[in-house]
Amino acid sequence: MSVQFIALLTLLTPLASAAIIALFLRKQGTLASIVSTLAAAVVAAGSLTLAFGGSRFGADLGAPVAIEWLKLGDLSISLGFLYNDLAALMLSIVGVVGLCVHVFSLGYMHDDSAKARYFGGLSIFMFSMIGIVLADNLFMIFIFWELVGLSSYLLINHYCLKQSAADASKKAFITNRVGDFGFLLGIILCYYAFGTVNLVEIGHASTAGTVVAAAIPLLLFCGAVGKSAQLPLHVWLPDAMEGPTPVSALIHAATMVAAGIFMLCRIEPLFAAAPAVALQTVMWIGAGTALYAALCAITQSDIKKVLAYSTLSQLGYMVAAFGLGSIEHLHDETKTVVILSAGVGAAMFHLTTHAFFKALMFLGSGSVIHGCHHEQDIFKMGGLSKKMPLTFITFTIGVLAIIGMPGLAGFFSKDAILYLAMENNTPVFVILTVTAVLTAFYMVRMWKLVFLGGTRSEDADHAHEGGASMTLPLLVLGLLSVAGGYEAIYGGHFDGVLKQVAHPHGAAHVTILIVSLAVMIVGAAGALLFYKSGPADSLQQKVPGAFAGLNVLKASFDSAYGYYVAKVQQRFALLLNFLDQILIAGLIVRGLSGVVGLFGLAARALHTGNLHVYVYWFLAGAVILWALAAGTL
């Protein structure tokens, strides 16, 4: 099979699955789940075949793979593939994690009455996400970008009879539209500046010495701010946990929220040619998000909300890594590519490892929730290490990976980012180091409250492991959370992306290792010693002021947005409605219609039905015409 055929098969199989489910299987949930899972298996097989089969589009195709889709004057929008090591890495993540989530969902959603709709939504998402990964131009990315938003909306709102789920889906949809508006403006401005939105052509123009206005990459970055939930558009992601837990694992932890990071790496040349303020803005937004979300996670009692804020924080790490890539020597021709690649490599490295261990923990939380009869409060759990030993072991691997245990995947990728920060920006290094301490603190807090001590509720007393469909994905992702870092560094399959990851050497290596161990030990030991296995939050009991302050911090953005909507936007809408009713509907529409009506009444008055009156009008008209012809009028 040719590379083109494999790529098309990988892209179109989930679309065919969604179409079959929508047209024929809406009331046959079991069959729909099988069709969707088989489609996910095809996607995983195709992704891994393309990534590890030794084939690359650049080598197999003499010309780009693209067809013209729409032409409006000089504007031509094409649909095409850009497949390289960056796409191969992201496609592998989508395929592997997507298949694990589908298999897990077979058990988790077994009794759901809307199972067909759920699996159809998963297939639409897989199609949309693969489209983003393979797209060769910004317009095509935007099309699939919006389809990903649609599928996210549908899956967050899966439990549509719950008001909280409906509100969360609307919040996610509206918030992402704000970022996507900036993204669209960036695409338009990019076309105006370059005459093209093709990623390869933009890259050539940027590296050829074209100076790019900072507005272009920053407007495109707005899309990543929305999709990857960065400050200040982060507010939708914690609420998105209203969706089924496997959806949280696939969309809101491993793939969709990582699409913003992937897009940034795709448009890397634009940042290389733009003023330094563009990358500095990205760097500070990422660092701020990482710290803010870590602080918010400390007070969460919902197991999924803890993981949601953890995801926000880790996404901030990735965004900061990208921004750190070329703060220095931005326009130095001998160093630009190398330094930028270090940022891209560190961001994509952490994206890869994070996808594995965060998907593992989300599915592990799903196993806990399922085993505890849908209880999500960590203070009502406890003692699950004995009742759910496999979930306990795999979840522990995920926790150790995210806090940076040496030898696990998260250790390698986190250290690469910390080293990059230490070399390029000391304040950001301090922020990310503090964030790492907080990460170890709140993750070990959650782990201890969920699995150690005695059970604290009847649901926890009767907890049990799920079936094979729910435990097998945990084992696979647990293995990847251990081996993923070694494959990324030593496997050599994605050297085009990861070969420039900054690895500390000599004294720097010792420094980073000491920092990593110190933050892990301080954070983990602090949580183990501070929190007691009980039904109440130890922080709330012992330091109520700090607990209340963190809750205020968490609610600050939602409160600000609520104030804006109620006091500014709503009043502006009322003003527009008043102007519409008085000026447009009143004076213009009804006023003009009234004037026209008067003419109509006058004309109607002339139609009397009396022949003598018509004769007089005829004679009067003839006299007027005669006068005009004679020139007297």
Side-chain angles (χ1 to χ4, degrees):
M1 290 187 292
S2 66
V3 173
Q4 303 97 309
F5 178 80
I6 297 174
L8 281 172
L9 182 66
T10 303
L11 175 65
L12 297 179
T13 298
L15 177 62
S17 168
I20 291 171
I21 292 172
L23 293 174
F24 307 110
L25 303 177
R26 288 193 292 177
K27 295 184 179 181
Q28 301 181 50
T30 302
L31 187 56
S33 65
I34 294 173
V35 170
S36 182
T37 304
L38 289 176
V42 172
V43 170
S47 302
L48 295 176
T49 299
L50 289 171
F52 296 97
S55 298
R56 292 290 183 272
F57 278 122
D60 290 357
L61 301 177
V65 183
I67 58 172
E68 187 175 84
W69 176 56
L70 181 65
K71 189 171 181 64
L72 299 171
D74 295 332
L75 174 63
S76 177
I77 300 177
S78 65
L79 299 178
F81 294 154
L82 174 60
Y83 189 82
N84 51 20
D85 281 322
L86 182 62
L89 179 59
M90 192 69 189
L91 197 61
S92 300
I93 295 169
V94 174
V96 172
V97 176
L99 179 58
C100 289
V101 168
H102 274 78
V103 174
F104 186 89
S105 297
L106 292 175
Y108 191 86
M109 304 296 291
H110 176 72
D111 297 325
D112 195 283
S113 59
K115 185 161 55 174
R117 173 161 54 86
Y118 169 83
F119 278 96
L122 285 184
S123 291
I124 294 173
F125 170 78
M126 293 290 285
F127 164 71
S128 307
M129 192 66 206
I130 294 168
I132 290 177
V133 174
L134 293 177
D136 73 336
N137 65 81
L138 291 174
F139 277 129
M140 185 177 172
I141 288 178
F142 186 78
I143 292 169
F144 286 105
W145 194 269
E146 294 304 303
L147 286 173
V148 162
L150 170 65
S151 57
S152 175
Y153 171 83
L154 295 174
L155 289 167
I156 294 172
N157 197 28
H158 177 73
Y159 301 123
C160 53
L161 298 180
K162 289 177 59 179
Q163 187 60 43
S164 57
D167 292 341
S169 62
K170 287 188 292 184
K171 187 176 184 179
F173 190 83
I174 293 170
T175 305
N176 275 276
R177 297 293 72 72
V178 176
D180 292 351
F181 179 69
F183 188 24
L184 183 59
L185 290 179
I187 294 173
I188 295 171
L189 195 57
C190 189
Y191 182 80
Y192 175 79
F194 296 100
T196 181
V197 291
N198 182 275
L199 294 170
V200 175
E201 294 173 2
I202 290 173
H204 290 328
S206 300
T207 55
T210 303
V211 178
V212 178
I216 295 178
L218 287 179
L219 283 171
L220 294 174
F221 175 58
C222 287
V225 170
K227 201 70 73 184
S228 293
Q230 298 296 289
L231 292 174
L233 300 181
H234 65 286
V235 292
W236 66 270
L237 185 58
D239 290 8
M241 298 303 106
E242 290 291 340
T245 304
V247 169
S248 303
L250 176 63
I251 297 182
H252 306 125
T255 54
M256 187 195 84
V257 291
I261 315 300
F262 174 79
M263 186 270 289
L264 285 178
C265 296
R266 279 293 211 199
I267 61 171
E268 168 197 28
L270 289 175
F271 283 93
V277 66
L279 274 168
Q280 289 173 346
T281 302
V282 172
M283 175 192 70
W284 283 112
I285 287 178
T289 303
L291 180 60
Y292 168 83
L295 289 170
C296 292
I298 295 174
T299 61
Q300 298 302 305
S301 59
D302 186 317
I303 186 172
K304 289 178 65 177
K305 290 288 183 70
V306 176
L307 295 176
Y309 279 106
S310 171
T311 300
L312 281 175
S313 183
Q314 297 304 306
L315 289 169
Y317 249 86
M318 300 171 207
V319 171
F322 180 86
L324 284 164
S326 64
I327 296 301
E328 298 178 358
H329 312 296
L330 186 65
H331 297 292
D332 186 335
E333 294 182 0
T334 64
K335 296 183 179 180
T336 297
V337 174
V338 173
I339 296 176
L340 270 172
S341 295
V344 170
M348 288 302 298
F349 189 13
H350 197 55
L351 185 155
T352 304
T353 60
H354 176 265
F356 296 144
F357 59 69
K358 187 54 65 65
L360 168 63
M361 285 189 286
F362 260 110
L363 293 185
S365 71
S367 178
V368 168
I369 293 168
H370 184 269
C372 292
H373 309 285
H374 300 284
E375 177 59 65
Q376 296 184 199
D377 190 340
I378 60 177
F379 292 100
K380 295 181 181 179
M381 296 178 184
L384 298 185
S385 59
K386 297 178 180 178
K387 296 182 177 296
M388 306 178 69
L390 184 59
T391 300
F392 169 66
I393 293 171
T394 54
F395 198 95
T396 302
I397 291 173
V399 170
L400 293 176
I402 195 173
I403 68 175
M405 172 64 74
L408 301 185
F411 167 78
F412 297 106
S413 58
K414 185 195 71 175
D415 277 15
I417 296 174
L418 288 177
Y419 174 66
L420 203 58
M422 185 179 71
E423 291 291 306
N424 291 333
N425 194 295
T426 301
V428 172
F429 172 71
V430 172
I431 291 173
L432 296 182
T433 301
V434 172
T435 301
V437 174
L438 295 174
T439 300
F441 183 79
Y442 67 73
M443 290 304 300
V444 172
R445 161 189 179 264
M446 177 185 64
W447 174 80
K448 179 179 181 179
L449 291 173
V450 171
F451 292 103
L452 301 186
T455 57
R456 295 185 293 276
S457 68
E458 185 177 348
D459 291 325
D461 283 334
H462 297 90
H464 57 84
E465 292 281 12
S469 65
M470 295 179 64
T471 54
L472 181 60
L474 299 179
L475 294 173
V476 173
L477 291 170
L479 177 62
L480 291 172
S481 297
V482 176
Y486 296 97
E487 165 57 32
I489 294 176
Y490 304 114
H493 293 98
F494 307 106
D495 280 350
V497 181
L498 301 176
K499 66 181 179 182
Q500 299 296 340
V501 173
H503 297 294
H505 299 284
H509 175 76
V510 175
T511 301
I512 289 296
L513 182 61
I514 292 174
V515 169
S516 297
L517 291 174
V519 298
M520 182 187 69
I521 293 171
V522 170
L528 288 172
L529 295 174
F530 185 78
Y531 283 94
K532 306 300 180 183
S533 181
D537 194 317
S538 298
L539 181 63
Q540 186 177 13
Q541 291 179 326
K542 297 178 181 179
V543 196
F547 185 87
L550 291 174
N551 278 328
V552 170
L553 178 67
K554 176 176 68 69
S556 58
F557 282 91
D558 278 322
S559 299
Y561 289 143
Y563 179 86
Y564 164 76
V565 170
K567 301 299 183 181
V568 180
Q569 182 173 293
Q570 188 65 20
R571 293 180 179 181
F572 183 65
L574 291 173
L575 175 62
L576 291 179
N577 181 66
F578 174 78
L579 295 175
D580 174 63
Q581 295 295 324
I582 299 300
L583 294 179
I584 299 177
L587 294 178
I588 297 177
V589 176
R590 291 187 178 89
L592 290 178
S593 64
V595 173
V596 173
L598 291 175
F599 282 107
L601 290 174
R604 182 179 180 184
L606 299 178
H607 295 276
T608 64
N610 190 319
L611 181 61
H612 298 287
V613 174
Y614 294 156
V615 170
Y616 290 141
W617 280 113
F618 174 76
L619 292 175
V623 170
I624 293 173
L625 290 175
W626 174 79
L628 289 172
T632 58
L633 289 179

